[in-house]
Amino acid sequence: MASSSQQLALALAWMFAVPTLVLLAGFAPVGRGRLARFASPRDLTVTVTSGPVLIAYLARASRWRAVGGAAGWVAGGALALPGAYCFWGAAGYLVGALAAEIRTSVRLTPPDGPRRASLAVRRSGDYLSWGVRWGPVFVISAVALQLAGYLRWPSAGTLDVQPSEVLLGGTGVAVVTAVLWLSRWLIVRRPRPVLPDDLNAVDDEIRASSLQTIGGASLALMCLAAGDVMWDVMLDLDAPEPFNWIHSVLAFGVFAMALYAWFGVRVRARRLLRETTE
């Protein structure tokens, strides 16, 4: 009985300790240090006008992401969902990041006088790092190669991997890909009035930060969903060498890319070449 109680206590502690830490970090005040950590890698000069806009964005975005990640983590553990804590915590974080973007879309006050719109051309490639742009292509290609190999060399001549597993993983990859591309389109094309240079720079960096965060979290989720399918396929694959080795490397590579996307791509700063207004 004591052992069961201890196991239950450890499970509950693990379920709620991580979300608690995430919420404490997400709702922490935005101080000068945090503002500098955002601005310095992006070569962004914070002014009296742009500072409050940037502080408001950092505060609201971190809170929404923290709430989403904590809710996903608890839901995954409490409901024993496939993928449990990590997958659903990341999924909740992505939902929170999307909600933050919808809620905190930069609504800067245009200057006095006639309303004018900025005609500067904005492309998603200008706001995103190489990993976010080409990561999804690598993941989809790796899954396609893995499945093609499995159809060519199934174990003992039978297909032991359930179609429902492939369908579930493929649906997850498709949904996350759609979210990624739609968020790119909406954030990049969001209209912006003609503003002073400092507010233009902050607006660009907020777009880049939002896109990079959403892109990194989406890529991590894609890798986890695809890696689950690829792992099952790899265990049931009877390919000759060197093809068996290649498929094993692909499966481990996708899982490694999930870590890289979450801890590297998601938080990477993207420097922009800005155009000053006349």
Side-chain angles (χ1 to χ4, degrees), residues 27 48 62 76 85 131 146 149 176 182 208 211 214 219 224 241 244:
F27 281 81
V48 176
S62 64
Y85 297 109
Q146 196 87 332
V176 175
L182 183 60
L211 281 172
I214 292 172
L219 183 58
L224 291 176
E241 297 296 347
N244 187 57

Side-chain angles (χ1 to χ4, degrees), residues 169-236:
T171 301
V173 171
V175 170
V176 175
T177 303
V179 169
L180 175 59
W181 286 102
L182 183 60
S183 63
R184 285 188 191 181
W185 188 84
L186 291 175
I187 294 174
V188 171
R189 293 178 177 269
R190 186 176 63 223
R192 180 174 71 188
V194 175
L195 297 168
D197 292 340
D198 58 341
L199 294 182
N200 277 333
V202 166
D203 179 62
D204 278 332
E205 294 301 342
I206 287 176
R207 292 174 196 254
S209 177
S210 296
L211 281 172
Q212 194 71 17
T213 299
I214 292 172
S218 299
L219 183 58
L221 281 171
M222 287 180 64
C223 291
L224 291 176
D228 184 60
V229 175
M230 294 176 68
W231 182 260
D232 291 338
V233 169
M234 186 190 71
L235 294 178
D236 202 44

Side-chain angles (χ1 to χ4, degrees), residues 8-230:
L8 179 60
L10 288 175
L12 291 176
W14 176 248
M15 184 186 300
F16 291 104
V18 173
T20 300
L21 295 175
V22 169
L23 289 173
L24 289 175
F27 281 81
V30 179
R32 292 184 177 180
R34 186 174 172 189
L35 192 62
R37 287 193 298 271
F38 182 91
S40 181
R42 296 168 173 82
D43 196 21
L44 179 66
T45 300
V46 180
T47 65
V48 176
T49 306
S50 63
V53 175
L54 186 55
I55 290 173
Y57 162 75
L58 292 174
R60 290 194 294 261
S62 64
R63 290 169 186 171
W64 278 96
R65 295 167 187 172
V67 170
W73 181 280
V74 172
L79 302 178
L81 298 172
Y85 297 109
C86 294
F87 182 86
W88 291 102
Y93 177 92
L94 178 58
V95 172
L98 293 171
E101 180 57 32
I102 294 173
R103 182 69 181 267
T104 65
S105 294
V106 184
R107 298 180 177 87
L108 300 174
T109 304
D112 295 333
R115 295 179 64 86
R116 297 176 298 166
S118 174
L119 299 180
V121 178
R122 292 185 293 272
R123 299 169 299 180
S124 61
D126 298 331
Y127 294 90
L128 295 171
S129 65
W130 183 90
V132 177
R133 296 199 304 271
W134 294 104
V137 177
F138 167 77
V139 174
I140 294 174
S141 300
V143 173
L145 288 174
Q146 196 87 332
L147 292 177
Y150 185 58
L151 293 176
R152 177 67 177 82
W153 298 296
S155 177
T158 59
L159 299 177
D160 293 334
V161 176
Q162 298 299 320
S164 59
E165 297 177 6
V166 178
L167 180 61
L168 182 62
T171 301
V173 171
V175 170
V176 175
T177 303
V179 169
L180 175 59
W181 286 102
L182 183 60
S183 63
R184 285 188 191 181
W185 188 84
L186 291 175
I187 294 174
V188 171
R189 293 178 177 269
R190 186 176 63 223
R192 180 174 71 188
V194 175
L195 297 168
D197 292 340
D198 58 341
L199 294 182
N200 277 333
V202 166
D203 179 62
D204 278 332
E205 294 301 342
I206 287 176
R207 292 174 196 254
S209 177
S210 296
L211 281 172
Q212 194 71 17
T213 299
I214 292 172
S218 299
L219 183 58
L221 281 171
M222 287 180 64
C223 291
L224 291 176
D228 184 60
V229 175
M230 294 176 68

